Amino acid sequence: MEYLTRVLLQLVNNPRFHYHSKCKKLKLISLTFVDDLLLFSRGDKDSVDLLLAQMAYFSRSTGLCVNRNKCFIYTGGVSDRDKETFRNLTKFIEGELPFRYLGVPLTSKKLAIKHCLVLIDKIIHKVTHWNSKLLTYAGRVQLIKSVVFSVVNFWMQVLRLPKVVLHHIDSICRSFLSTGGKDVSSKSPIAWNFFCRPMAYGGMNIMDLECWNKVCMLKLVWNVHKKADSLWIKWIHEYYLKHFDFLHMQVKDSQSWMMKHLLHSRLLYQEMHIHLTGTGGNFQSKKVYNALKVNEEKPVWRHLMFGNYARPRAVFILWLVCNGRLATKERLKKFGMISDDCCAFCLEKETTNHLFFYCAGLKEVWVKVLKWIHVNHTPLPWDSELDWIIRNRKGKSWRASLIKCAVTESIYTIWRMQNDKVFGHASYSGNIEKDIIDSLVYKSWNVKKYRNYIASLMV
């Protein structure tokens, strides 16, 4: 590609070659990325002839030939007769704007919803391609956070997505997390607005998407204002700013839709300027994001989700319990789904306070797990027990980390036992405490700084 660039730059000294009207100041003839190549010139026969001649020279030198069946020619402001001339000259297929480059649509007009349908289709393909019906809630959360959000983030780094598109993406993710499918459904174990509490273990909420969309736009404004070393920024300064101050430039009707969005974002940029700069004078996306969400309520138990070495499915169940949205018999009876709300292990009413860890049949499980960690504690009702866990998990000691992991694994194991008994599955015949401790040892052993402490507990 470097050799191809040098070959095309030979056209600079040829008086018959004319640059594209928006490429002359930057002396831009081509853009290359891996196996993609974009060529620019004025829409006249001489310029196109010279471009084809240089490409033919490159092909003779390297043996790399152009596949004309995969090439497209895009024109603007030329007559139909000239279009026919260019098609016959190049043997390329005539394309229409917008077209996709690196997966993102390139259009000369404002980005419309129809241009984003390819993004929607790609997200639907992601959530239906996997065996989503076999994934746990924790697996679906991980898929949304690591795969789906990455695809959306790639688009938002380049373009400002319409709110309608963000709402559509939000509904897809909500339905996928709740049901494992792409069809819109109201079925959900917890209200969707709770999925951003805390962000470390939540889904992709529409409020978060809109907030991140603003962060991406502020980053583009930052790059323009700071004159970042990129081709796009240089192009903006050459053809739009023209040595004017970006922060005080007037919005004009002749400007593109993207440029207007950048100029309208200057007010927010000035308001957030104190949060923009981080170490080394670089743009700090995390600081800006947190500043935009400064009014968000932060639950006291959020730190139980951070740095928790328990199994992801166990962390998800703990997250539901902390939100008060676990499907206990008390909640199911309230919604008219069942008539019996007795605990599966005793005759008392099954509530969260009762089940974790106050039930007579399960109380000893938590006591024995704590005794293995060398902690003497009598279990309390869930609300009080949660306060005790939050107080004792503070700090960076190995015992605090182990308590956080222990309560997560214990809650998950007890909940699994309850479901097995209620739904008539094979009853649990193993040693419950031993299995929980084995999970603690297995998960904590992967953390090197805790291995000596874990070894001492196993002696």
Side-chain angles (χ1 to χ4, degrees):
M1 288 303 171
E2 292 180 2
Y3 176 64
L4 175 61
T5 303
R6 291 199 301 269
V7 170
L8 293 174
L9 286 177
Q10 294 176 5
L11 295 172
V12 174
N13 300 322
N14 194 320
R16 293 174 53 208
F17 179 78
H18 301 94
Y19 287 100
H20 186 278
S21 60
K22 295 296 184 180
C23 300
K24 185 175 182 180
K25 293 181 179 179
L26 296 179
K27 299 185 182 301
L28 182 63
I29 301 176
S30 65
L31 287 177
T32 57
F33 182 82
V34 189
D35 58 348
D36 292 327
L37 174 64
L38 296 178
L39 299 177
F40 308 96
S41 74
R42 184 192 293 179
D44 59 68
K45 186 175 182 301
D46 288 342
S47 299
V48 175
D49 271 334
L50 290 172
L51 275 179
L52 294 176
Q54 293 302 98
M55 290 298 297
Y57 175 76
F58 173 78
S59 299
R60 290 194 299 269
S61 302
T62 62
L64 300 175
C65 299
V66 175
N67 187 344
R68 298 180 185 273
N69 294 326
K70 294 183 179 180
C71 296
F72 296 85
I73 182 170
Y74 299 91
T75 58
V78 298
S79 64
D80 293 337
R81 181 179 179 181
D82 290 335
K83 289 182 181 180
E84 184 65 26
T85 301
F86 296 148
R87 285 197 299 266
N88 295 333
L89 189 63
T90 61
K91 307 299 182 184
F92 293 166
I93 304 171
E94 182 179 2
E96 295 182 358
L97 293 173
F99 67 94
R100 287 202 298 160
Y101 182 64
L102 302 182
V104 178
L106 300 183
T107 176
S108 58
K109 299 180 181 180
K110 183 177 180 180
L111 187 69
I113 298 174
K114 63 180 181 180
H115 300 148
C116 300
L117 293 180
V118 62
L119 173 62
I120 302 298
D121 293 339
K122 193 168 187 177
I123 292 176
I124 293 176
H125 174 73
K126 292 291 184 183
V127 300
T128 56
H129 175 69
W130 289 57
N131 292 326
S132 54
K133 295 293 184 181
L134 303 179
L135 290 176
T136 62
Y137 282 120
R140 296 171 192 169
V141 168
Q142 190 63 34
L143 180 62
I144 291 174
K145 291 174 61 179
S146 61
V147 179
V148 175
F149 186 72
S150 298
V151 175
V152 178
N153 185 41
F154 176 73
W155 277 57
M156 289 194 296
Q157 292 289 338
V158 182
L159 301 170
R160 181 180 177 87
L161 296 180
K163 287 188 178 181
V164 176
V165 176
L166 297 180
H167 279 273
H168 197 169
I169 295 172
D170 176 74
S171 64
I172 293 173
C173 294
R174 177 176 64 246
S175 300
F176 172 67
L177 181 60
S178 304
T179 65
K182 63 181 178 65
D183 297 328
V184 178
S185 173
S186 59
K187 178 184 177 182
S188 177
I190 184 171
W192 183 239
N193 62 326
F194 279 82
F195 278 106
C196 58
R197 302 176 52 205
M199 277 302 297
Y201 206 86
M204 212 169 33
N205 183 269
I206 185 63
M207 296 171 59
D208 305 319
L209 275 179
E210 291 182 356
C211 183
W212 189 249
N213 206 17
K214 292 180 182 178
V215 174
C216 294
M217 184 56 61
L218 287 175
K219 187 174 182 180
L220 294 178
V221 176
W222 166 276
N223 291 335
V224 174
H225 183 221
K226 297 296 182 179
K227 296 184 179 181
D229 187 18
S230 69
L231 178 62
W232 181 74
I233 300 300
K234 292 178 181 178
W235 188 84
I236 288 290
H237 279 272
E238 285 290 343
Y239 286 95
Y240 279 101
L241 300 184
K242 300 178 181 178
H243 307 294
F244 286 99
D245 185 1
F246 173 70
L247 296 180
H248 300 90
M249 184 180 180
Q250 293 183 351
V251 181
K252 299 179 182 179
D253 294 335
S254 59
Q255 294 167 343
S256 67
W257 68 275
M258 188 63 183
M259 189 64 191
K260 290 178 182 178
H261 274 302
L262 290 175
L263 294 175
H264 288 313
S265 300
R266 290 177 298 181
L267 181 59
L268 180 60
Y269 174 80
Q270 292 171 336
E271 293 176 356
M272 302 295 299
H273 193 271
I274 190 174
H275 304 286
L276 297 177
T277 308
T279 306
N282 298 321
F283 183 88
Q284 295 292 307
S285 300
K286 182 179 179 181
K287 290 178 61 177
V288 177
Y289 179 83
N290 291 332
L292 290 173
K293 295 179 68 66
V294 67
N295 295 325
E296 182 185 81
E297 179 185 358
K298 296 182 179 179
V300 295
W301 45 260
R302 65 186 183 278
H303 294 292
L304 294 179
M305 311 297 157
F306 302 147
N308 196 324
Y309 301 113
R311 289 171 288 180
R313 65 181 66 184
V315 179
F316 191 89
I317 295 299
L318 174 64
W319 177 72
L320 286 177
V321 174
C322 291
N323 274 298
R325 295 298 189 273
L326 196 64
T328 58
K329 288 187 176 181
E330 178 198 29
R331 283 179 55 82
L332 297 178
K333 185 178 180 180
K334 184 190 300 183
F335 297 138
M337 301 177 67
I338 60 174
S339 57
D340 180 20
D341 60 354
C342 293
C343 176
F345 302 98
C346 63
L347 299 178
E348 295 188 31
K349 185 178 181 180
E350 184 188 277
T351 63
T352 302
N353 284 332
H354 170 75
L355 193 59
F356 310 109
F357 302 96
Y358 210 57
C359 177
L362 302 173
K363 194 173 184 178
E364 291 300 317
V365 174
W366 181 228
V367 172
K368 292 179 181 179
V369 172
L370 287 177
K371 187 176 181 181
W372 181 78
I373 310 175
H374 297 167
V375 175
N376 293 321
H377 172 69
T378 302
L380 303 169
W382 170 248
D383 293 337
S384 302
E385 190 70 13
L386 182 60
D387 292 337
W388 180 86
I389 294 169
I390 293 173
R391 290 196 306 270
N392 284 270
R393 67 100 236 146
K394 292 182 178 179
K396 298 181 179 180
S397 66
W398 65 273
R399 184 172 279 109
S401 178
L402 204 58
I403 288 176
K404 180 165 57 177
C405 185
V407 66
T408 308
E409 290 290 346
S410 299
I411 285 177
Y412 173 71
T413 303
I414 291 173
W415 181 244
R416 188 182 62 181
M417 288 176 53
Q418 189 266 4
N419 277 271
D420 288 343
K421 192 165 185 178
V422 169
F423 292 103
H425 297 162
S427 59
Y428 193 84
S429 58
N431 190 321
I432 305 173
E433 302 84 11
K434 181 179 181 301
D435 288 347
I436 296 175
I437 292 172
D438 288 344
S439 297
L440 294 178
V441 172
Y442 175 76
K443 301 299 293 186
S444 301
W445 194 261
N446 294 327
V447 186
K448 292 184 179 180
K449 63 180 180 180
Y450 296 153
R451 287 183 180 177
N452 292 334
Y453 303 106
I454 298 298
S456 65
L457 294 175
M458 295 173 63
V459 175

